[in-house]
Amino acid sequence: MLDLGGDLVALFRAVCDTASVSGDERVLADAVEAALRACEHLEVVRDGDTVVARTSLGRDRRVVFAGHLDTVPLTVPPNLPTRVVGEGDAAEVWGRGTVDMKGGVAVALALAAELVEPAQDVTWIFYDNEEVAAELNGLGRLVRNRPDLVAGDFAVLGEPTSAGLEGGCNGTLRADVRVPGVAAHSARAWTGSNAIHAAHEVLDRLAAYVPAEAEVDGLVYREGLNAVGIRGGVAGNVVPDECVVTVNYRFAPSRTVDDAARHVTDLFSGFEVTVTDAAPGARPGLDDPLAADFAAKVLAVTGGAPGPKYGWTDVARFAELGVPAVNFGPGDPLLAHKDDERCPVAQLALCRDALRAWLSGDDAA
Amino acid sequence: MLDLGGDLVALFRAVCDTASVSGDERVLADAVEAALRACEHLEVVRDGDTVVARTSLGRDRRVVFAGHLDTVPLTVPPNLPTRVVGEGDAAEVWGRGTVDMKGGVAVALALAAELVEPAQDVTWIFYDNEEVAAELNGLGRLVRNRPDLVAGDFAVLGEPTSAGLEGGCNGTLRADVRVPGVAAHSARAWTGSNAIHAAHEVLDRLAAYVPAEAEVDGLVYREGLNAVGIRGGVAGNVVPDECVVTVNYRFAPSRTVDDAARHVTDLFSGFEVTVTDAAPGARPGLDDPLAADFAAKVLAVTGGAPGPKYGWTDVARFAELGVPAVNFGPGDPLLAHKDDERCPVAQLALCRDALRAWLSGDDAA
């Protein structure tokens, strides 16, 4: 059982220690649902392994806070349960999910329980399957099943930003690049054609690729194109007739999905390219008055200036719905998905305090 | 139930249509065992999915005939059941196993049942797991469990030779070439190092590799070095920290396993190379008097001259045991493991007739 009203670091570690790799979020979603149902001021709705809790105080504005429950796979050996390194303000919590993004989830859970009468109505969304293919995304499913639960005037994604404010996000596109061959017994390989050998050309182009940078609305977005998977081979004595390289292109929000698909197809000309998954980016949107108000209030607590978000996040989904959205959460985004993922405990309290100040603000309603 | 005394092509197709991919030979082994147990002149022994049947007539010489029951995986969609293309002597049977090596198995089953009083004692061995890692090989297991069942003065492997006589075989060695990287979120790939991209160097060396030829005891062996597998990638948004290329080196019988391992390690210098599986080749051995006698008798029926065997076969195992051995069986070895694997029915009868003539020969005892 999660104790939402207790120590924030203990709550954070309990959320992390309930492993929830994409597709396996049920136990954590159950715990989140049970804890939120204990809060009388919240209406709680469950959709698959997504849990929504909201106030209905009749405020003029509604804010959506969204955070995903899932993580990428654990390391081998597993980097859970969490461990604390250092003491006091310098302490860091190590382990899978500490950065992406159970810090944001823990802060949201604590505030959802604490803020019985926020100055703005709040919809708290905890969703599944953010780290995998776009069609599995729990927030996307919620938009299809219950669009009313996603509606709002402004949205905050609790993705890691080192407790700073990050606007927009790069788009993401995955494609399979297929290299054909002709199968043969490997003892008489000259009668076939080795698809893995032929894939050297695909890897050569990837190794030589220089990613672009693009300035959008005053922020500079860095692109990237990476192989995230490769497979080929049937048996230990068969010359393989197919090798497939899966690439992931992270493209600046100034490009459309179509632009991005064309770029990848052109780069791998001569090979069969199949786009398997794509999601557009989002422009920073910090010129929106609500976003500007949020930025002023939050940065008054945290310090710093807005920056670009490199990773794709569901701010893009809110942008498509016409809801201005930003990323704000504890944890260094450069450590997301890494084996040494870790979060300074000081950032948990800082994010909680900044969000609490904004959501409790007298002049917000 | 297999009808060993009926039409040879029908028996051949029944053996093929009982799919038996490596590790899944049980159903076929059961059928072979049942059919052989019905022959009163044979003593039958079962060891795992290997079936041994033998005469004990007190002849001066014992011949071992060995053929493996397993095949490489079926195609997608499956190339079974078999189908016959063409008519009469020009007919060919298409499908998985028709070349490697259910033709040799069918010929052996027919002769095992027919030759109640061969001029030489015969041990017929039908074994499992030849197409996979050497430590799984059913004939190797039999050597460990029941060496008496493998003993003999001469051995014939029913591997495909287009009904010609092929001597010796290349050795085979498999190794994993590991390319390391540093994991990162693919949205911030510049904080990691992509192992798949780095593997371009391994594939470049493979693509540029020119295999050698070596003359051994008058026959020319062609070598080969092929990637038979490649894997890398953890999730669709993670820069992978490892890419492993599995290579298979087929080396001339003039090289030892140690020579072969050194050659592969040298070729991939700069990377971590782990030999996972190796089996030495076998020199042709056609200067042995028994082999020469077999060659004379069989080639009198089939025509042609001895040639080299490129693929590794269990003649190498017999060579290690000091038993001269040759390859002789229906089916074009160039078609082994290929999607369009097929065997001319005429070669089935030719191989049966040649082996029958030799095993029944008055001057053989």
Short mmCIF file of all heavy atoms in Angstrom, two decimals, chain A residues 131 174 183 185-191 194 196-197 200 203-204 226-230 232-233 236-237 240 248 250 311 333 336-338, chain B residues 131 174 183 185-189 191 194 196-197 200 203-204 222 226-230 232-233 236-237 240 248 250 311 333 336-338:
data_model
loop_
_atom_site.label_atom_id
_atom_site.label_comp_id
_atom_site.label_asym_id
_atom_site.label_seq_id
_atom_site.Cartn_x
_atom_site.Cartn_y
_atom_site.Cartn_z
N GLU A 131 6.68 3.76 -22.82
CA GLU A 131 8.04 3.47 -23.31
C GLU A 131 8.05 2.54 -24.51
O GLU A 131 9.12 2.10 -24.94
CB GLU A 131 8.89 2.86 -22.19
CG GLU A 131 9.09 3.77 -20.98
CD GLU A 131 10.04 4.93 -21.26
OE1 GLU A 131 10.46 5.09 -22.41
OE2 GLU A 131 10.31 5.70 -20.32
N ARG A 174 9.99 5.21 -35.87
CA ARG A 174 10.74 3.95 -35.96
C ARG A 174 10.48 3.32 -37.32
O ARG A 174 9.36 3.38 -37.84
CB ARG A 174 10.32 2.98 -34.85
CG ARG A 174 11.22 3.07 -33.63
CD ARG A 174 10.80 2.11 -32.54
NE ARG A 174 9.67 2.67 -31.82
CZ ARG A 174 9.76 3.47 -30.76
NH1 ARG A 174 10.94 3.78 -30.27
NH2 ARG A 174 8.68 3.95 -30.18
N ALA A 183 19.08 -17.72 -48.97
CA ALA A 183 19.47 -18.74 -47.99
C ALA A 183 20.31 -19.83 -48.64
O ALA A 183 20.14 -20.15 -49.83
CB ALA A 183 18.22 -19.35 -47.34
N HIS A 185 23.10 -23.42 -47.29
CA HIS A 185 23.85 -24.08 -46.23
C HIS A 185 25.16 -23.31 -46.07
O HIS A 185 25.79 -22.95 -47.06
CB HIS A 185 24.13 -25.53 -46.65
CG HIS A 185 24.59 -26.39 -45.51
ND1 HIS A 185 25.72 -26.13 -44.79
CD2 HIS A 185 24.05 -27.51 -44.96
CE1 HIS A 185 25.88 -27.05 -43.84
NE2 HIS A 185 24.87 -27.91 -43.93
N SER A 186 25.55 -23.06 -44.82
CA SER A 186 26.75 -22.24 -44.62
C SER A 186 28.02 -22.99 -45.04
O SER A 186 29.08 -22.37 -45.16
CB SER A 186 26.86 -21.79 -43.16
OG SER A 186 26.96 -22.90 -42.29
N ALA A 187 27.94 -24.29 -45.27
CA ALA A 187 29.09 -25.03 -45.77
C ALA A 187 29.30 -24.78 -47.26
O ALA A 187 30.36 -25.10 -47.80
CB ALA A 187 28.90 -26.53 -45.52
N ARG A 188 28.28 -24.28 -47.93
CA ARG A 188 28.39 -23.97 -49.35
C ARG A 188 27.79 -22.58 -49.57
O ARG A 188 26.86 -22.39 -50.34
CB ARG A 188 27.63 -25.02 -50.18
CG ARG A 188 28.33 -26.38 -50.20
CD ARG A 188 27.45 -27.47 -50.77
NE ARG A 188 26.29 -27.68 -49.90
CZ ARG A 188 26.28 -28.49 -48.83
NH1 ARG A 188 27.34 -29.18 -48.53
NH2 ARG A 188 25.20 -28.59 -48.10
N ALA A 189 28.36 -21.64 -48.83
CA ALA A 189 27.79 -20.30 -48.78
C ALA A 189 27.78 -19.64 -50.15
O ALA A 189 26.97 -18.76 -50.42
CB ALA A 189 28.58 -19.45 -47.79
N TRP A 190 28.69 -20.06 -51.05
CA TRP A 190 28.79 -19.41 -52.36
C TRP A 190 27.56 -19.66 -53.21
O TRP A 190 27.39 -19.03 -54.23
CB TRP A 190 30.06 -19.86 -53.09
CG TRP A 190 30.16 -21.36 -53.25
CD1 TRP A 190 29.67 -22.10 -54.30
CD2 TRP A 190 30.77 -22.28 -52.35
NE1 TRP A 190 29.95 -23.42 -54.09
CE2 TRP A 190 30.62 -23.58 -52.90
CE3 TRP A 190 31.43 -22.15 -51.11
CZ2 TRP A 190 31.09 -24.73 -52.27
CZ3 TRP A 190 31.90 -23.30 -50.50
CH2 TRP A 190 31.73 -24.56 -51.06
N THR A 191 26.69 -20.56 -52.77
CA THR A 191 25.44 -20.78 -53.52
C THR A 191 24.33 -19.86 -53.03
O THR A 191 23.24 -19.86 -53.58
CB THR A 191 24.97 -22.24 -53.38
OG1 THR A 191 24.56 -22.46 -52.02
CG2 THR A 191 26.06 -23.21 -53.74
N ASN A 194 24.60 -13.66 -48.39
CA ASN A 194 24.43 -13.44 -46.96
C ASN A 194 23.82 -12.05 -46.67
O ASN A 194 24.45 -11.01 -46.90
CB ASN A 194 25.79 -13.58 -46.27
CG ASN A 194 25.65 -13.71 -44.76
OD1 ASN A 194 24.95 -12.91 -44.14
ND2 ASN A 194 26.29 -14.71 -44.19
N ILE A 196 23.19 -10.70 -43.77
CA ILE A 196 23.87 -9.96 -42.69
C ILE A 196 25.11 -9.25 -43.24
O ILE A 196 25.35 -8.08 -42.92
CB ILE A 196 24.25 -10.90 -41.52
CG1 ILE A 196 22.98 -11.46 -40.87
CG2 ILE A 196 25.10 -10.17 -40.49
CD1 ILE A 196 23.24 -12.50 -39.78
N HIS A 197 25.87 -9.94 -44.11
CA HIS A 197 27.03 -9.27 -44.72
C HIS A 197 26.56 -8.03 -45.50
O HIS A 197 27.17 -6.96 -45.41
CB HIS A 197 27.77 -10.22 -45.67
CG HIS A 197 28.37 -11.42 -44.99
ND1 HIS A 197 29.31 -12.23 -45.58
CD2 HIS A 197 28.17 -11.95 -43.75
CE1 HIS A 197 29.66 -13.21 -44.75
NE2 HIS A 197 28.98 -13.05 -43.64
N HIS A 200 26.07 -4.53 -43.99
CA HIS A 200 27.19 -3.65 -43.62
C HIS A 200 26.95 -2.25 -44.19
O HIS A 200 27.30 -1.25 -43.57
CB HIS A 200 28.53 -4.23 -44.10
CG HIS A 200 28.86 -3.96 -45.53
ND1 HIS A 200 29.71 -2.94 -45.92
CD2 HIS A 200 28.44 -4.55 -46.67
CE1 HIS A 200 29.81 -2.94 -47.25
NE2 HIS A 200 29.05 -3.90 -47.72
N LEU A 203 24.71 -0.30 -41.83
CA LEU A 203 25.44 0.13 -40.62
C LEU A 203 26.48 1.20 -40.96
O LEU A 203 26.71 2.12 -40.18
CB LEU A 203 26.09 -1.06 -39.92
CG LEU A 203 25.14 -2.17 -39.44
CD1 LEU A 203 25.85 -3.07 -38.45
CD2 LEU A 203 23.87 -1.61 -38.82
N ASP A 204 27.10 1.08 -42.15
CA ASP A 204 28.07 2.10 -42.56
C ASP A 204 27.39 3.48 -42.64
O ASP A 204 27.93 4.49 -42.19
CB ASP A 204 28.67 1.76 -43.93
CG ASP A 204 29.68 0.60 -43.86
OD1 ASP A 204 30.08 0.23 -42.74
OD2 ASP A 204 30.04 0.07 -44.92
N ASN A 226 19.27 6.43 -34.71
CA ASN A 226 19.97 5.29 -34.12
C ASN A 226 19.35 3.95 -34.47
O ASN A 226 18.12 3.83 -34.48
CB ASN A 226 19.97 5.42 -32.60
CG ASN A 226 21.16 6.21 -32.12
OD1 ASN A 226 22.21 5.63 -31.85
ND2 ASN A 226 21.01 7.53 -32.10
N ALA A 227 20.21 2.99 -34.70
CA ALA A 227 19.75 1.61 -34.70
C ALA A 227 19.39 1.26 -33.26
O ALA A 227 20.19 1.47 -32.35
CB ALA A 227 20.83 0.66 -35.21
N VAL A 228 18.19 0.75 -33.07
CA VAL A 228 17.78 0.31 -31.73
C VAL A 228 17.56 -1.21 -31.71
O VAL A 228 17.22 -1.77 -30.68
CB VAL A 228 16.50 1.04 -31.25
CG1 VAL A 228 16.81 2.49 -30.97
CG2 VAL A 228 15.37 0.89 -32.26
N GLY A 229 17.76 -1.84 -32.86
CA GLY A 229 17.63 -3.30 -32.92
C GLY A 229 18.20 -3.81 -34.23
O GLY A 229 18.22 -3.10 -35.24
N ILE A 230 18.72 -5.04 -34.19
CA ILE A 230 19.13 -5.70 -35.43
C ILE A 230 18.90 -7.18 -35.23
O ILE A 230 19.11 -7.72 -34.14
CB ILE A 230 20.61 -5.40 -35.77
CG1 ILE A 230 20.97 -5.91 -37.17
CG2 ILE A 230 21.57 -5.97 -34.72
CD1 ILE A 230 22.29 -5.36 -37.71
N GLY A 232 18.93 -11.12 -37.52
CA GLY A 232 19.14 -11.89 -38.73
C GLY A 232 19.64 -13.24 -38.32
O GLY A 232 20.28 -13.38 -37.27
N GLY A 233 19.35 -14.27 -39.15
CA GLY A 233 19.83 -15.60 -38.85
C GLY A 233 18.72 -16.55 -38.49
O GLY A 233 17.80 -16.19 -37.76
N GLY A 236 22.40 -22.06 -36.95
CA GLY A 236 23.84 -21.88 -36.91
C GLY A 236 24.57 -22.35 -38.15
O GLY A 236 25.78 -22.16 -38.27
N ASN A 237 23.87 -22.97 -39.09
CA ASN A 237 24.52 -23.44 -40.32
C ASN A 237 23.76 -23.00 -41.57
O ASN A 237 23.81 -23.67 -42.60
CB ASN A 237 24.69 -24.96 -40.29
CG ASN A 237 23.37 -25.66 -40.01
OD1 ASN A 237 22.31 -25.01 -39.98
ND2 ASN A 237 23.42 -26.96 -39.84
N PRO A 240 21.86 -16.54 -43.83
CA PRO A 240 20.54 -15.93 -43.66
C PRO A 240 20.06 -15.18 -44.89
O PRO A 240 20.85 -14.54 -45.58
CB PRO A 240 20.74 -14.98 -42.48
CG PRO A 240 22.19 -14.70 -42.44
CD PRO A 240 22.90 -15.89 -43.01
N ASN A 248 15.56 4.31 -35.07
CA ASN A 248 14.69 5.27 -34.39
C ASN A 248 15.21 6.67 -34.71
O ASN A 248 16.35 7.01 -34.38
CB ASN A 248 14.73 5.01 -32.88
CG ASN A 248 13.81 5.94 -32.08
OD1 ASN A 248 14.08 6.24 -30.93
ND2 ASN A 248 12.73 6.39 -32.69
N ARG A 250 14.80 10.60 -34.12
CA ARG A 250 14.25 11.65 -33.27
C ARG A 250 14.41 12.95 -34.03
O ARG A 250 15.55 13.38 -34.26
CB ARG A 250 14.99 11.70 -31.94
CG ARG A 250 14.96 10.39 -31.17
CD ARG A 250 13.57 10.13 -30.61
NE ARG A 250 13.50 8.88 -29.90
CZ ARG A 250 12.78 8.69 -28.79
NH1 ARG A 250 12.04 9.69 -28.31
NH2 ARG A 250 12.75 7.52 -28.20
N GLY A 311 13.67 14.44 -25.77
CA GLY A 311 12.91 13.20 -25.90
C GLY A 311 11.47 13.48 -26.30
O GLY A 311 10.92 14.53 -25.95
N PRO A 333 17.34 14.30 -17.32
CA PRO A 333 16.91 13.53 -18.50
C PRO A 333 18.05 12.82 -19.21
O PRO A 333 17.82 11.83 -19.90
CB PRO A 333 16.26 14.59 -19.39
CG PRO A 333 16.73 15.91 -18.87
CD PRO A 333 17.01 15.72 -17.42
N ALA A 336 18.07 9.18 -18.25
CA ALA A 336 16.91 8.32 -18.52
C ALA A 336 17.34 7.08 -19.27
O ALA A 336 18.14 7.16 -20.21
CB ALA A 336 15.87 9.09 -19.33
N HIS A 337 16.86 5.93 -18.86
CA HIS A 337 17.09 4.63 -19.52
C HIS A 337 18.51 4.12 -19.31
O HIS A 337 18.85 3.07 -19.85
CB HIS A 337 16.80 4.69 -21.03
CG HIS A 337 15.40 5.04 -21.36
ND1 HIS A 337 14.85 4.83 -22.61
CD2 HIS A 337 14.40 5.57 -20.61
CE1 HIS A 337 13.59 5.25 -22.61
NE2 HIS A 337 13.30 5.70 -21.41
N LYS A 338 19.33 4.85 -18.60
CA LYS A 338 20.70 4.40 -18.44
C LYS A 338 20.83 3.47 -17.23
O LYS A 338 20.00 3.48 -16.33
CB LYS A 338 21.66 5.59 -18.32
CG LYS A 338 21.61 6.47 -19.58
CD LYS A 338 22.76 7.43 -19.67
CE LYS A 338 23.92 6.83 -20.44
NZ LYS A 338 24.95 7.84 -20.77
N GLU B 131 21.91 -31.05 -37.01
CA GLU B 131 21.93 -29.71 -37.62
C GLU B 131 22.17 -28.60 -36.60
O GLU B 131 22.05 -27.43 -36.94
CB GLU B 131 20.60 -29.45 -38.34
CG GLU B 131 20.31 -30.41 -39.50
CD GLU B 131 21.20 -30.16 -40.72
OE1 GLU B 131 22.12 -29.32 -40.64
OE2 GLU B 131 20.98 -30.83 -41.74
N ARG B 174 31.99 -22.24 -34.76
CA ARG B 174 31.12 -21.08 -34.57
C ARG B 174 31.70 -20.21 -33.47
O ARG B 174 32.23 -20.72 -32.48
CB ARG B 174 29.70 -21.50 -34.21
CG ARG B 174 28.78 -21.59 -35.41
CD ARG B 174 27.39 -22.03 -35.04
NE ARG B 174 27.36 -23.45 -34.80
CZ ARG B 174 27.12 -24.37 -35.75
NH1 ARG B 174 26.86 -24.01 -36.99
NH2 ARG B 174 27.12 -25.64 -35.44
N ALA B 183 24.78 2.21 -23.20
CA ALA B 183 23.33 2.42 -23.32
C ALA B 183 22.96 3.87 -23.05
O ALA B 183 23.62 4.56 -22.27
CB ALA B 183 22.59 1.50 -22.35
N HIS B 185 19.21 6.72 -23.62
CA HIS B 185 17.90 6.95 -24.23
C HIS B 185 18.16 7.39 -25.67
O HIS B 185 19.04 8.22 -25.91
CB HIS B 185 17.17 8.05 -23.45
CG HIS B 185 15.72 8.15 -23.78
ND1 HIS B 185 15.25 8.38 -25.05
CD2 HIS B 185 14.62 8.02 -23.01
CE1 HIS B 185 13.92 8.41 -25.04
NE2 HIS B 185 13.52 8.19 -23.81
N SER B 186 17.39 6.84 -26.62
CA SER B 186 17.67 7.16 -28.02
C SER B 186 17.33 8.62 -28.36
O SER B 186 17.71 9.12 -29.41
CB SER B 186 16.92 6.20 -28.96
OG SER B 186 15.53 6.33 -28.79
N ALA B 187 16.60 9.31 -27.47
CA ALA B 187 16.33 10.73 -27.70
C ALA B 187 17.55 11.59 -27.38
O ALA B 187 17.60 12.74 -27.78
CB ALA B 187 15.15 11.17 -26.83
N ARG B 188 18.49 11.03 -26.63
CA ARG B 188 19.72 11.76 -26.29
C ARG B 188 20.88 10.82 -26.53
O ARG B 188 21.70 10.54 -25.66
CB ARG B 188 19.67 12.21 -24.82
CG ARG B 188 18.65 13.32 -24.56
CD ARG B 188 18.42 13.54 -23.09
NE ARG B 188 17.77 12.38 -22.49
CZ ARG B 188 16.46 12.16 -22.48
NH1 ARG B 188 15.65 13.06 -23.01
NH2 ARG B 188 15.96 11.08 -21.95
N ALA B 189 20.92 10.34 -27.79
CA ALA B 189 21.88 9.29 -28.14
C ALA B 189 23.32 9.73 -27.94
O ALA B 189 24.20 8.90 -27.73
CB ALA B 189 21.66 8.88 -29.60
N THR B 191 24.70 10.87 -25.55
CA THR B 191 25.22 10.54 -24.22
C THR B 191 25.63 9.07 -24.13
O THR B 191 26.15 8.64 -23.10
CB THR B 191 24.18 10.82 -23.12
OG1 THR B 191 23.09 9.91 -23.29
CG2 THR B 191 23.66 12.25 -23.23
N ASN B 194 26.52 3.70 -29.66
CA ASN B 194 25.66 2.68 -30.26
C ASN B 194 26.46 1.45 -30.71
O ASN B 194 27.25 1.51 -31.65
CB ASN B 194 24.91 3.29 -31.44
CG ASN B 194 23.76 2.43 -31.89
OD1 ASN B 194 23.93 1.22 -32.10
ND2 ASN B 194 22.59 3.02 -32.03
N ILE B 196 25.39 -1.25 -32.20
CA ILE B 196 25.03 -1.74 -33.54
C ILE B 196 25.77 -0.93 -34.60
O ILE B 196 26.29 -1.48 -35.58
CB ILE B 196 23.50 -1.69 -33.76
CG1 ILE B 196 22.78 -2.65 -32.79
CG2 ILE B 196 23.15 -2.04 -35.21
CD1 ILE B 196 21.27 -2.58 -32.86
N HIS B 197 25.83 0.39 -34.40
CA HIS B 197 26.59 1.20 -35.36
C HIS B 197 28.05 0.73 -35.40
O HIS B 197 28.65 0.61 -36.46
CB HIS B 197 26.54 2.68 -34.98
CG HIS B 197 25.17 3.29 -35.03
ND1 HIS B 197 24.94 4.64 -35.02
CD2 HIS B 197 23.93 2.73 -35.11
CE1 HIS B 197 23.64 4.90 -35.07
NE2 HIS B 197 23.02 3.74 -35.12
N HIS B 200 29.41 -2.12 -37.60
CA HIS B 200 29.64 -1.97 -39.05
C HIS B 200 31.02 -2.48 -39.43
O HIS B 200 31.20 -3.06 -40.49
CB HIS B 200 29.42 -0.50 -39.48
CG HIS B 200 30.62 0.38 -39.29
ND1 HIS B 200 31.48 0.70 -40.32
CD2 HIS B 200 31.09 1.00 -38.20
CE1 HIS B 200 32.43 1.48 -39.86
NE2 HIS B 200 32.23 1.68 -38.58
N LEU B 203 30.90 -6.27 -39.86
CA LEU B 203 30.23 -6.64 -41.12
C LEU B 203 31.08 -6.24 -42.33
O LEU B 203 31.11 -6.96 -43.34
CB LEU B 203 28.84 -6.01 -41.21
CG LEU B 203 27.85 -6.38 -40.11
CD1 LEU B 203 26.42 -6.03 -40.54
CD2 LEU B 203 27.92 -7.86 -39.73
N ASP B 204 31.79 -5.11 -42.22
CA ASP B 204 32.68 -4.71 -43.32
C ASP B 204 33.73 -5.79 -43.56
O ASP B 204 34.03 -6.15 -44.70
CB ASP B 204 33.36 -3.37 -42.99
CG ASP B 204 32.42 -2.17 -43.11
OD1 ASP B 204 31.31 -2.33 -43.66
OD2 ASP B 204 32.78 -1.07 -42.64
N ARG B 222 36.91 -26.03 -50.47
CA ARG B 222 36.61 -24.61 -50.49
C ARG B 222 36.15 -24.20 -49.10
O ARG B 222 35.25 -24.83 -48.54
CB ARG B 222 35.47 -24.41 -51.49
CG ARG B 222 35.56 -23.16 -52.28
CD ARG B 222 34.55 -23.21 -53.41
NE ARG B 222 34.12 -21.86 -53.70
CZ ARG B 222 33.33 -21.51 -54.68
NH1 ARG B 222 32.85 -22.44 -55.50
NH2 ARG B 222 32.99 -20.26 -54.87
N ASN B 226 30.94 -17.12 -42.61
CA ASN B 226 29.66 -16.42 -42.71
C ASN B 226 29.07 -16.03 -41.38
O ASN B 226 29.13 -16.80 -40.42
CB ASN B 226 28.63 -17.33 -43.41
CG ASN B 226 28.69 -17.15 -44.90
OD1 ASN B 226 28.00 -16.30 -45.45
ND2 ASN B 226 29.57 -17.92 -45.54
N ALA B 227 28.47 -14.84 -41.36
CA ALA B 227 27.58 -14.50 -40.25
C ALA B 227 26.35 -15.37 -40.40
O ALA B 227 25.75 -15.45 -41.47
CB ALA B 227 27.19 -13.02 -40.31
N VAL B 228 26.00 -16.08 -39.33
CA VAL B 228 24.77 -16.88 -39.34
C VAL B 228 23.76 -16.31 -38.36
O VAL B 228 22.65 -16.83 -38.23
CB VAL B 228 25.06 -18.36 -39.02
CG1 VAL B 228 25.82 -19.01 -40.16
CG2 VAL B 228 25.81 -18.51 -37.70
N GLY B 229 24.13 -15.24 -37.67
CA GLY B 229 23.20 -14.60 -36.75
C GLY B 229 23.73 -13.25 -36.33
O GLY B 229 24.95 -13.04 -36.30
N ILE B 230 22.82 -12.33 -36.03
CA ILE B 230 23.22 -11.04 -35.46
C ILE B 230 22.09 -10.60 -34.56
O ILE B 230 20.92 -10.80 -34.86
CB ILE B 230 23.52 -9.99 -36.55
CG1 ILE B 230 24.14 -8.72 -35.94
CG2 ILE B 230 22.26 -9.64 -37.35
CD1 ILE B 230 24.72 -7.77 -36.97
N GLY B 232 21.04 -7.46 -31.44
CA GLY B 232 21.37 -6.27 -30.69
C GLY B 232 20.09 -5.50 -30.45
O GLY B 232 19.15 -5.61 -31.24
N GLY B 233 20.04 -4.76 -29.34
CA GLY B 233 18.85 -3.95 -29.08
C GLY B 233 18.07 -4.46 -27.90
O GLY B 233 17.88 -5.65 -27.73
N GLY B 236 12.78 -0.17 -28.13
CA GLY B 236 12.70 0.71 -29.29
C GLY B 236 13.21 2.11 -29.06
O GLY B 236 13.29 2.90 -30.00
N ASN B 237 13.53 2.45 -27.82
CA ASN B 237 14.02 3.80 -27.54
C ASN B 237 15.30 3.79 -26.71
O ASN B 237 15.58 4.71 -25.96
CB ASN B 237 12.94 4.63 -26.83
CG ASN B 237 12.41 3.90 -25.60
OD1 ASN B 237 12.93 2.86 -25.23
ND2 ASN B 237 11.38 4.45 -24.99
N PRO B 240 21.57 0.67 -27.97
CA PRO B 240 22.01 -0.62 -27.42
C PRO B 240 23.46 -0.62 -26.98
O PRO B 240 24.31 0.00 -27.62
CB PRO B 240 21.79 -1.59 -28.57
CG PRO B 240 21.79 -0.76 -29.80
CD PRO B 240 21.32 0.62 -29.41
N ASN B 248 30.15 -18.45 -38.59
CA ASN B 248 30.42 -19.88 -38.79
C ASN B 248 31.54 -20.00 -39.82
O ASN B 248 31.39 -19.56 -40.96
CB ASN B 248 29.14 -20.57 -39.29
CG ASN B 248 29.30 -22.06 -39.48
OD1 ASN B 248 28.64 -22.64 -40.33
ND2 ASN B 248 30.18 -22.70 -38.73
N ARG B 250 33.85 -22.48 -41.96
CA ARG B 250 34.00 -23.83 -42.49
C ARG B 250 35.42 -23.91 -43.04
O ARG B 250 35.75 -23.21 -44.00
CB ARG B 250 32.98 -24.07 -43.61
CG ARG B 250 31.54 -23.89 -43.17
CD ARG B 250 31.12 -25.01 -42.23
NE ARG B 250 29.74 -24.85 -41.79
CZ ARG B 250 28.90 -25.87 -41.62
NH1 ARG B 250 29.29 -27.12 -41.86
NH2 ARG B 250 27.67 -25.65 -41.20
N GLY B 311 30.52 -29.67 -46.77
CA GLY B 311 29.86 -29.53 -45.48
C GLY B 311 30.50 -30.45 -44.45
O GLY B 311 31.03 -31.51 -44.78
N PRO B 333 23.88 -31.69 -52.86
CA PRO B 333 24.26 -30.98 -51.62
C PRO B 333 24.17 -29.47 -51.75
O PRO B 333 24.02 -28.77 -50.74
CB PRO B 333 25.70 -31.44 -51.37
CG PRO B 333 26.18 -32.03 -52.66
CD PRO B 333 24.97 -32.54 -53.37
N ALA B 336 21.00 -28.29 -50.12
CA ALA B 336 20.75 -28.53 -48.69
C ALA B 336 20.40 -27.22 -47.99
O ALA B 336 21.05 -26.20 -48.22
CB ALA B 336 21.99 -29.15 -48.04
N HIS B 337 19.37 -27.23 -47.17
CA HIS B 337 18.94 -26.10 -46.34
C HIS B 337 18.28 -24.99 -47.16
O HIS B 337 17.93 -23.96 -46.59
CB HIS B 337 20.10 -25.49 -45.54
CG HIS B 337 20.73 -26.44 -44.57
ND1 HIS B 337 21.54 -26.04 -43.56
CD2 HIS B 337 20.69 -27.79 -44.48
CE1 HIS B 337 21.97 -27.10 -42.87
NE2 HIS B 337 21.46 -28.18 -43.42
N LYS B 338 18.19 -25.16 -48.46
CA LYS B 338 17.62 -24.07 -49.25
C LYS B 338 16.10 -24.22 -49.32
O LYS B 338 15.53 -25.28 -49.11
CB LYS B 338 18.22 -24.05 -50.65
CG LYS B 338 19.75 -23.82 -50.59
CD LYS B 338 20.33 -23.43 -51.92
CE LYS B 338 20.38 -21.91 -52.09
NZ LYS B 338 21.15 -21.49 -53.25
#
